[in-house]
Amino acid sequence: MRHSCALTALLVSSTTCFAQTGVDLYGIVDVGLRATDGLGANNAPTPPGRTSAVSSGVDQTSRWGIKGQESLGGGLKALFRLEGGINADTGAQAKSDRLFDRQAWVGLDSPYGQLAVGRQASLLSDALIPVDPIGKRFASLNPNINVAGLSNTAFGTHAFGRQYGPSGYSDNFYRLDNTVKYTGTVGPWQARAAYSFGEVAGDAAASSSHGVALAYQRPDWVVSGATMQFRSREGLPLDAWSVGAALKLDAWQFKANAARNVADTGPGKTVHQRVLSAGVSRQAGRDLLVTTAWYGVRREATGFRDDGFDRGFLFVEKTLGPRTTAYVEADYTVWRGDAAGLTASRSNDRHGTGMTLGLMQKF
């Protein structure tokens, strides 16, 4: 009986504490039925042939998180956020080695800006938020996330082959450990600066990253860009930048972005990547949003044939409720050079198509 009373008291006190500090549980569960031709279940090129699958995160990445804040007086607030990706089709964590692979940080917010410390998205990711033509949807297939934002550099013969910055992975530098990020807003201007510690003994620059970002935001238009440099453990540099704009005219919204990155991958070896993208969205009625976009990726690597791909998207989203959206997505990819590659010595299809019917629920 004493244990039961103690547990009840603990739960009550915890609830009171949470209410005072404003702790919230939130997330997205996005699952769709996807059919492809010339693309595998993981959206990699395949020989001609159709594939069907249940996919997670085609509209918005499935995730869950905990966030909170506490007022400290004088306009000062303490903040924290813990967020992890979910493969909603299997129930697995997006990253098996990390519970909170997307965000894990604590910070302070004041009239002079916000300072956050921990695992956070890169400044390239931040800069893309308002200007990506499809609104950073379909993260596993979106070239601005994969190529411009450096979330998948292991693609084909032009792979970087090493880790740059403290991301924890050899092919993904979209989110970085050990990061100190400052965000300041003055009128329509928003500026960010970040430094990620490599924490390599005896070499402060190794595996580190740093950069700045700047955005100018008005009610109907925005310009947003960022530049960053990453270092490998061996001191090899990866330099990247991204800049884009968005314009809203009545029910129409236009977005465009340009990005480029250059990595030294070894003595006398480099990989160059560039992405151009543009798209338009229209609110077709109160509950229907139609978005279409095109992305062009071009890549050069020492010792390899230049390659790349062009990819188009169409999203039609129907709002069913405040937290529920049904959607249809279609995509078409044309591979250039040797980008399509081989599967078991058989040439992959030079074209890839996909279509998804999905449902997204937010909580």
Side-chain angles (χ1 to χ4, degrees):
M1 182 67 176
R2 288 197 303 269
H3 293 303
S4 176
C5 291
L7 179 59
T8 301
L10 178 61
L11 290 173
V12 170
S13 64
S14 298
T15 302
T16 303
C17 180
F18 280 6
Q20 291 174 345
T21 58
V23 175
D24 296 311
L25 175 69
Y26 68 94
I28 296 173
V29 181
D30 181 323
V31 180
L33 302 177
R34 180 161 170 80
T36 60
D37 191 345
L39 294 174
N42 62 351
N43 297 313
T46 66
R50 296 180 180 178
T51 302
S52 58
V54 176
S55 296
S56 173
V58 171
D59 194 313
Q60 296 289 334
T61 302
S62 297
R63 70 195 77 166
W64 75 284
I66 307 167
K67 61 182 179 180
Q69 65 179 38
E70 180 180 15
S71 176
L72 304 177
L76 191 66
K77 291 187 294 185
L79 312 169
F80 81 89
R81 179 167 293 200
L82 303 171
E83 184 176 292
I86 305 168
N87 293 328
D89 52 333
T90 64
Q93 296 172 202
K95 298 288 187 183
S96 60
D97 60 332
R98 295 170 187 255
L99 178 60
F100 299 112
D101 64 295
R102 295 176 59 87
Q103 299 188 67
W105 55 264
V106 66
L108 291 173
D109 186 72
S110 76
Y112 306 101
Q114 179 178 298
L115 186 68
V117 184
R119 181 171 174 82
Q120 302 174 70
S122 74
L123 296 181
L124 298 172
S125 170
D126 293 339
L128 286 166
I129 291 173
V131 297
D132 177 54
I134 59 172
K136 298 187 78 175
R137 291 172 174 81
F138 209 163
S140 64
L141 202 65
N142 186 330
N144 270 346
I145 294 177
N146 289 311
V147 183
L150 299 169
S151 77
N152 182 10
T153 65
F155 170 55
T157 57
H158 294 49
F160 288 3
R162 65 185 70 248
Q163 178 181 323
Y164 294 85
S167 68
Y169 305 100
S170 62
D171 60 357
N172 185 333
F173 325 127
Y174 194 72
R175 296 181 178 87
L176 302 168
D177 299 340
N178 317 321
T179 297
V180 179
K181 182 189 293 186
Y182 170 78
T183 303
T185 302
V186 179
W189 293 96
Q190 184 178 72
R192 291 186 173 96
Y195 184 87
S196 302
F197 293 82
E199 299 185 356
V200 175
D203 190 343
S207 295
S208 67
S209 73
H210 63 274
V212 294
L214 187 65
Y216 187 82
Q217 305 174 83
R218 305 298 297 180
D220 294 328
W221 60 276
V222 60
V223 177
S224 177
T227 180
M228 293 190 69
Q229 183 179 84
F230 305 76
R231 289 276 178 176
S232 72
R233 191 177 185 89
E234 302 82 9
L236 296 172
L238 164 59
D239 296 299
W241 59 261
S242 175
V243 62
L247 173 66
K248 185 176 182 181
L249 293 174
D250 298 322
W252 297 87
Q253 188 169 48
F254 304 88
K255 296 181 180 181
N257 196 78
R260 183 177 177 85
N261 52 70
V262 180
D264 287 354
T265 56
K269 294 182 178 181
T270 60
V271 176
H272 298 244
Q273 301 186 120
R274 60 186 184 275
V275 186
L276 296 177
S277 57
V280 59
S281 298
R282 177 173 172 78
Q283 196 74 40
R286 186 181 62 179
D287 301 325
L288 193 67
L289 179 66
V290 180
T291 302
T292 185
W294 166 88
Y295 295 77
V297 178
R298 301 294 182 268
R299 307 189 311 167
E300 305 166 11
T302 304
F304 294 99
R305 179 185 175 189
D306 295 352
D307 72 9
F309 58 92
D310 295 295
R311 180 168 290 154
F313 289 94
L314 172 66
F315 274 88
V316 180
E317 298 167 283
K318 171 67 174 178
T319 300
L320 303 179
R323 298 187 301 273
T324 305
T325 301
Y327 64 89
V328 175
E329 175 274 343
D331 53 85
Y332 183 75
T333 302
V334 179
W335 305 102
R336 293 177 172 269
D338 297 326
L342 305 173
T343 298
S345 300
R346 183 184 175 191
S347 295
N348 291 326
D349 198 338
R350 295 189 59 82
H351 302 81
T353 60
M355 180 170 287
T356 312
L357 175 64
L359 185 68
M360 178 179 65
Q361 170 76 38
K362 297 181 178 180
F363 62 89

